Amino acid sequence: MSAHTLRTAALAASLLLACTAGAASAAPARKAARPAAQDSVAMYTQERQTDHRDSDDLLTAGLGLDGLRAMTPPAFADAAHPSAAELRRRALWSNWRGIADLAPGGGYGELYGSLANVPGREYSAFARVPGAHQPHRVLVQVPDGFDRDKRCVVVSASSGSRGIYGSIAVAGAWGLPKGCAVAYTDKGAGTDYFDLDAGVGVRADGTVGKPGDGELAFLPDAQARKAGGVAFKHAHSQDNPEADWGRHVQQAARFALRALDRAFPDAAPFTWANTRVIAVGISNGGGAVLRAAELGEEPWLDAVVAGEPNVYVQGARPLYDYTTQAALLMPCALLHKPLGAMPVAPLSGDSAQSFCDFAAEHGLLGDAARAGDTAARAQAAYERMRGDGWSDDALRAGALSVNFDLWRAVAATYASSYGRYAPVARETGAANQPWVAYAYSTATPAAAADAPPAPRAASETERAAWWADASGIPPGAGVQLFGPAGAPRLQSLAGLRELWTGQPLRADADKAGLKAAGERVRKGVEQTRAGAPRKGLPVVVVHGLDDGLIPPAFSSAPYVAMARKAGAQVTYWQVKNVQHFDAFLGLPTLGARYLPLLPYVYAALDRVDAHLAGGAALPGDAVIDTVPRAQGQGLQAQNLAVPK
């Protein structure tokens, strides 16, 4: 990859000063002295309080940096029946490693970020948006060192589809050491898998339970429980949880006020008027806090920081559109030699050439490509994706998503979610929903190198660990996704694309059925469309320009343009040489090519916090020139060039 032209740090600083010259210097006014809306008892159920001190702190459950770096997860004393404390510790280990670059030389805990031992209490519950079939989890961490004078809450939503600790490295690492309470929501996704074979799900404390033993975090209806295999909430709740991400964040913030009233009754009541609330999230969590910013019935938020947000605005390409396109065309486009070396060698169950052949034969690349060789088809796929808004940097970084089979995993999950589909029957397939045809199950390893794995029932020890180990979207934690038996893999991917385009790729396609299914999915996508944030609310959006999973051209850039057109106060930091996954930077080749995003998210939080506390100027827009480190060298401040 050719290097970006680098500007000097002095020029970046001068641009920031120019952009912020007109910013107010006085401390912003407090929100109107209006109490938070009183929550009904029914909004929160299964409320719990746990204490976490000494060797079991809030931030790392006592693991510290060395424990988080360990290659194996914390063990369970009884693998089939782990305790709630063991599950919590292991969930923290999994989520830290899934979000942050903790590798030696990566700078975490030294150059940026905190892994301080923070003692305190956790308050947790199930919360429910009106009309939802399933609850979402909320959790509040209250440090013993809570700053009663500052009275601050940091509220966040999990990245991706992760469980309730899926933003610990984002919000917890910044807020807890500063004496803020930190509130989380899994935003209706999470790792509360339901084993349809065994008929068991997950209790409030993370342990496995049966229906009737108390409320479960996710309980499919009686008909859905006949499907077999594994159901997970993001795909199978039939709620389209993304449509309510903003409300999930707001309910988590309300639960934080409730928790603070209980933690400090002598300082109660905690209300929107007397408590500072800052929302922060990355990826799907970034999209969730932007959706929360548009909820303006009452002035409850003080500032928002959104990193690499998955957010959709009118006129832009939604995630489902560009994901299903990438699933079919990107493996082929990456063969276009002028793109240069990829950060990783793209891998998939089918050769990249088979993707080229399939796309050409089904008319996705034009008439010339149909008659051309693989090189011509790769060029056509590349030109098609470039023409639809993909940058070369996003395409190169997208090789990571090809490598890890993310395009298929995301497309299948979101098709089911947007269409509000029930789980597909593992044995009989999806006769009633042939375009959303994936079933989920644990698997027996393939008998031969060229043979697929076979679905099977999960063991007791496997399902016991799902809540702690899973990322919220299979494949992972032993759960695989399976297309229809006997159907070619690319045909199933094509079906997911057909739902968006409305154009059948198969001669025998049921056009009337496709139209109905496509309208169902498109309706779900439209329900996720973001609006402008409340006027006067400080919002900082941070995005890596090399993001190959959620390219800024489709998400943050159109969001910022829309918000500004509506009169909103938005700062936009675009960071060169940053892609979507900080956790992958421990791999030497990726660490030498890319920089982490989290330092810029923390810096943006510092800037809005200083503004709220004392009237410091809000940051201005910046295109941040970074300097990738040489392979084998530790990360240094000059590599990051974080705006000051």
Side-chain angles (χ1 to χ4, degrees):
M1 178 175 65
S2 60
H4 288 291
T5 303
L6 302 176
R7 302 190 187 104
T8 64
L11 177 58
S14 68
L15 288 172
L16 286 173
L17 289 173
C19 290
T20 59
S25 58
R30 274 288 192 187
K31 290 166 289 189
R34 180 179 176 185
Q38 294 301 309
D39 299 312
S40 67
V41 174
M43 181 180 287
Y44 303 111
T45 59
Q46 298 296 309
E47 294 190 58
R48 303 175 65 245
Q49 177 190 332
T50 53
D51 294 345
H52 302 279
R53 298 183 177 88
D54 302 321
S55 60
D56 180 31
D57 71 304
L58 295 177
L59 202 51
T60 73
L63 293 170
L65 181 58
D66 289 342
L68 293 175
R69 282 177 174 170
M71 296 304 294
T72 55
F76 300 147
D78 179 348
H81 305 94
S83 68
E86 289 175 326
L87 286 163
R88 175 184 178 273
R89 180 174 293 111
R90 187 143 150 176
L92 285 167
W93 179 89
S94 298
N95 282 285
W96 267 104
R97 292 173 61 86
I99 298 299
D101 174 17
L102 302 175
Y108 203 96
E110 300 169 352
L111 189 60
Y112 69 95
S114 175
L115 290 160
N117 186 300
V118 182
R121 290 164 283 181
E122 287 187 352
Y123 299 81
S124 61
F126 296 160
R128 193 180 294 265
V129 171
H133 294 88
Q134 306 294 341
H136 64 107
R137 285 184 182 266
V138 292
L139 181 145
V140 180
Q141 295 181 310
V142 180
D144 288 346
F146 178 77
D147 190 331
R148 296 191 186 205
D149 295 325
K150 189 175 181 179
R151 296 172 75 100
C152 56
V153 169
V154 180
V155 63
S156 191
S158 295
S159 171
S161 300
R162 291 183 172 276
I164 193 61
Y165 292 105
S167 192
I168 187 71
V170 181
W174 185 84
L176 291 174
K178 296 181 183 298
C180 296
V182 181
Y184 308 89
T185 172
D186 67 7
K187 61 189 189 322
T191 54
D192 297 305
Y193 290 11
F194 193 93
D195 187 329
L196 298 167
D197 295 315
V200 294
V202 182
R203 300 186 183 100
D205 64 0
T207 60
V208 172
K210 295 180 179 180
D213 290 347
E215 186 180 6
L216 300 180
F218 172 42
L219 179 61
D221 64 31
Q223 182 62 36
R225 294 202 296 272
K226 298 177 182 179
V230 178
F232 60 105
K233 194 154 53 172
H234 193 161
H236 302 130
S237 69
Q238 299 183 270
D239 283 331
N240 188 15
E242 187 179 342
D244 290 314
W245 278 355
R247 293 180 179 87
H248 295 147
V249 172
Q250 189 179 58
Q251 285 189 341
R254 282 182 172 149
F255 187 67
L257 302 182
R258 184 184 181 95
L260 288 171
D261 281 348
R262 295 182 177 183
F264 306 108
D266 57 327
F270 287 82
T271 70
W272 300 141
N274 64 23
T275 308
R276 183 181 303 160
V277 181
I278 300 173
V280 63
I282 64 170
S283 191
N284 281 356
V289 297
L290 292 178
R291 295 301 312 280
E294 69 192 57
L295 300 179
E297 302 91 350
E298 52 188 329
W300 64 284
L301 263 179
D302 292 283
V304 175
V305 174
E308 56 189 23
N310 170 25
V311 64
Y312 161 54
V313 302
Q314 188 171 11
R317 298 186 71 185
L319 176 75
Y320 189 78
D321 175 19
Y322 60 81
T323 293
T324 53
Q325 182 188 52
L328 281 177
L329 297 189
M330 187 174 285
C332 178
L334 295 181
L335 294 180
H336 185 52
K337 293 190 182 299
L339 265 176
M342 301 295 118
V344 293
L347 301 174
S348 69
D350 298 81
S351 70
Q353 181 177 337
S354 71
F355 281 84
C356 291
D357 294 344
F358 183 90
E361 291 164 5
H362 288 79
L364 298 177
L365 303 178
D367 292 338
R370 191 189 298 269
D373 60 10
T374 298
R377 291 172 175 181
Q379 180 175 346
Y382 165 79
E383 290 174 350
R384 176 63 54 86
M385 296 191 77
R386 283 284 292 173
D388 287 341
W390 293 83
S391 69
D392 282 359
D393 291 327
L395 285 169
R396 281 188 282 261
L400 292 164
S401 297
V402 173
N403 190 307
F404 291 101
D405 198 20
L406 284 179
W407 297 125
R408 183 174 68 120
V410 170
T413 295
Y414 282 75
S416 183
S417 180
Y418 292 141
R420 300 178 187 255
Y421 285 109
V424 170
R426 184 181 60 194
E427 303 300 333
T428 60
N432 64 329
Q433 52 191 65
W435 289 273
V436 186
Y438 289 90
Y440 298 82
S441 180
T442 47
T444 299
D450 59 347
R456 61 166 173 81
S459 70
E460 194 174 19
T461 57
E462 286 172 325
R463 77 173 72 96
W466 286 341
W467 186 81
D469 291 353
S471 68
I473 289 185
V479 180
Q480 302 291 326
L481 68 163
F482 294 88
R489 181 171 184 252
L490 294 182
Q491 287 284 6
S492 298
L493 284 177
L496 296 175
R497 183 61 178 162
E498 288 173 339
L499 287 173
W500 183 254
T501 65
Q503 300 299 316
L505 298 176
R506 295 158 291 179
D508 60 347
D510 174 4
K511 293 182 179 180
L514 173 59
K515 183 176 184 294
E519 289 175 350
R520 184 169 171 171
V521 169
R522 280 181 171 269
K523 179 181 178 181
V525 171
E526 186 60 23
Q527 290 167 343
T528 71
R529 179 162 53 88
R534 190 185 76 240
K535 290 184 179 180
L537 176 68
V539 177
V540 181
V541 178
V542 184
H543 211 145
L545 289 174
D546 286 29
D547 194 326
L549 182 69
I550 302 174
F554 307 142
S555 53
S556 59
Y559 175 84
V560 169
M562 176 276 296
R564 286 176 172 167
K565 186 176 181 180
Q569 183 179 8
V570 182
T571 296
Y572 191 26
W573 284 1
Q574 301 171 77
V575 194
K576 295 183 177 180
N577 301 309
V578 168
Q579 49 82 52
H580 198 79
F581 305 102
D582 281 15
F584 291 170
L585 301 185
L587 301 172
T589 55
L590 296 180
R593 186 166 187 153
Y594 297 118
L595 284 303
L597 180 76
L598 281 178
Y600 307 96
V601 173
Y602 296 155
L605 285 165
D606 288 339
R607 297 291 294 274
V608 299
D609 189 47
H611 171 71
L612 296 173
L618 287 167
D621 288 353
V623 177
I624 302 171
D625 290 300
T626 62
V627 182
R629 52 181 163 146
Q631 190 162 332
Q633 291 187 356
L635 189 67
Q636 300 178 10
Q638 56 263 37
N639 298 120
L640 297 171
V642 175
K644 302 297 184 183

